[in-house]
Amino acid sequence: MLMLQYCGAGLLVLGALTGTVVAPFHAQCSVEWTFGIPCKSVYLELVTQIKEWKTADNCAKGGEKCLYTLKSANEHYIVAEHATPVHKYVDTLTFKLASSLDNRSCKVSGYSVSQLWYAVLDFGTNYCNLHNLIEGSGLDKVSGYSESTNNSKCTQYSSANCTIY
């Protein structure tokens, strides 16, 4: 027997006799990163990458590393949008940056969510919206880099293919 129950905060619990699976009810993704560099550097790298991937030119050979739009930014909070190249579906991205006490490292909370009210599954697109910017900017190569997320925080995270999305 399969039972559906809405638990608030955008989560849908699917309960069965064998266990329970928790996953986002709306196409979205939440990721936590740590970087062993100051937040000002992280901020500059992310904003530069968003601006670099503004046009569709970078997607001419496939993938979705294009059509990012910077909406607002300061050293503590970045808001951007990403449009898919084919259908122009738009997702909203936010990055919250928090410096360590000695300003030598930075913790970042990233969030991407589909603007379509009916989007439930996204093939990992919201994860890729965030991951592609981190990878494209080279932040995944800095000392002290770590990433934390899972399927309960990111729609279809485990099946995401960021070379396509």
Side-chain angles (χ1 to χ4, degrees), residues 115-135:
Q115 289 185 4
L116 291 175
W117 66 269
Y118 56 84
V120 177
L121 301 177
D122 70 352
F123 304 102
T125 297
N126 279 288
Y127 170 74
C128 293
N129 288 342
L130 302 167
H131 170 82
N132 288 341
L133 288 172
I134 298 297
E135 187 178 74

Side-chain angles (χ1 to χ4, degrees), residues 6 23 26 49 64 66-67 76 82 103 127 136 155-156:
Y6 181 71
H26 184 74
Q49 193 61 57
E64 295 193 1
C66 62
L67 301 175
H76 306 287
H82 177 253
N103 286 323
Y127 170 74
T155 305
Q156 297 184 294

